Amino acid sequence: MLDKEEVNSPHLEELMGHYRGIISLLGEDVQREGLLKTPERVAKAMLTLTKGYTMDPHEVLRSAKFKEEYSQMVIVKDIDFFSLCEHHMLPFYGKVHVAYIPNGYITGLSKIARVVDIFSHRLQVQERMTLQIKECIQQTLNPLGVMVVVEAKHMCMQMRGVEKQNSITTTSDFTGAFNQAKTREEFMNLIMHK
Ligand SMILES: [Zn+2]
């Protein structure tokens, strides 16, 4: 997982300075004991949560692409993800489900989860994240079709009372063989059976 790595950024000190300013502008005393190390912790947390900018998801798939004649649907469901909405920088999180129909090449199942990890560790909107995961798989593995479904809860909606608690936003995107309703249904049936 991304968050176990040590945070190493030339911008750490500067970020800490900005967070010190923000905390102070919010009306707090940055010298208060409990807050002394907060700017550093927040800066490191934000660097970790946006670590996906320094990683190339296409490379992850290209480096684990295997020739294989299997041509049935491959499904990776219930991939947990945590991301930050780019409008409020508050978390949205949930599950990603991916299906693809190989066209001569498959990839390691953990690599699909890794791709989700990289795109989610950026400032995002759920719709674009869905599309980016789809396109990354389509471009690197060139499958007969790929479909991505994302189910998420948005803290920026829930904490600010914009939406009912526990409402879930679902997005999906697909290519190729998934243009056929029957193929999409097969995938949806498989991911709905928990
Ligand atoms: Zn938001």
Side-chain angles (χ1 to χ4, degrees):
M1 283 300 287
L2 301 172
D3 48 8
K4 293 205 175 131
E5 291 160 37
E6 190 46 42
V7 175
N8 228 332
S9 164
H11 307 304
L12 181 60
E13 288 289 330
E14 202 178 340
L15 277 168
M16 286 165 57
H18 286 299
Y19 281 119
R20 225 172 270 124
I22 289 168
I23 292 166
S24 164
L25 286 169
L26 292 174
E28 263 290 0
D29 172 11
V30 286
Q31 298 304 324
R32 193 159 66 73
E33 198 188 352
L35 290 175
L36 277 178
K37 291 201 76 180
T38 298
E40 181 180 347
R41 289 193 201 97
V42 177
K44 285 183 173 173
M46 290 308 290
L47 286 166
T48 299
L49 297 178
T50 56
K51 214 160 186 224
Y53 287 119
T54 60
M55 299 171 176
D56 181 359
H58 292 79
E59 187 49 41
V60 167
L61 290 188
R62 272 196 298 267
S63 69
K65 191 173 154 181
F66 310 109
K67 202 153 181 43
E68 187 62 62
E69 288 314 312
Y70 185 81
S71 60
Q72 298 302 309
M73 197 182 292
V74 177
I75 294 174
V76 190
K77 69 173 191 173
D78 295 332
I79 303 168
D80 289 314
F81 80 92
F82 298 87
S83 191
L84 291 174
C85 86
E86 68 183 17
H87 302 132
H88 305 91
M89 292 176 69
L90 287 170
F92 70 98
Y93 63 94
K95 291 186 186 303
V96 177
H97 315 287
V98 174
Y100 70 96
I101 301 171
N103 182 19
Y105 290 95
I106 57 164
T107 187
L109 299 182
S110 68
K111 303 300 175 187
I112 301 272
R114 182 93 179 135
V115 166
V116 170
D117 237 19
I118 292 173
F119 282 121
S120 60
H121 280 72
R122 298 177 181 184
L123 300 184
Q124 278 288 8
V125 294
Q126 184 176 336
E127 293 84 346
R128 189 175 64 236
M129 189 178 85
T130 307
L131 178 140
Q132 286 176 332
I133 295 167
K134 176 205 75 172
E135 290 196 331
C136 180
I137 295 168
Q138 184 63 49
Q139 287 165 7
T140 52
L141 299 181
N142 190 32
L144 297 175
V146 55
M147 181 159 175
V148 177
V149 176
V150 179
E151 301 174 297
K153 289 185 178 182
H154 291 252
M155 295 314 284
C156 65
M157 310 273 244
Q158 298 187 352
M159 291 176 78
R160 299 183 311 131
V162 179
E163 278 208 355
K164 279 195 187 116
Q165 300 279 325
N166 297 320
S167 78
I168 291 177
T169 306
T170 303
T171 49
S172 64
D173 206 346
F174 52 83
T175 66
F178 289 91
N179 278 295
Q180 290 183 308
K182 197 167 66 71
T183 311
R184 287 200 301 280
E185 265 165 40
E186 186 186 337
F187 175 44
M188 293 306 282
N189 282 335
L190 284 161
I191 62 174
M192 291 308 170
H193 291 107
K194 304 274 176 187

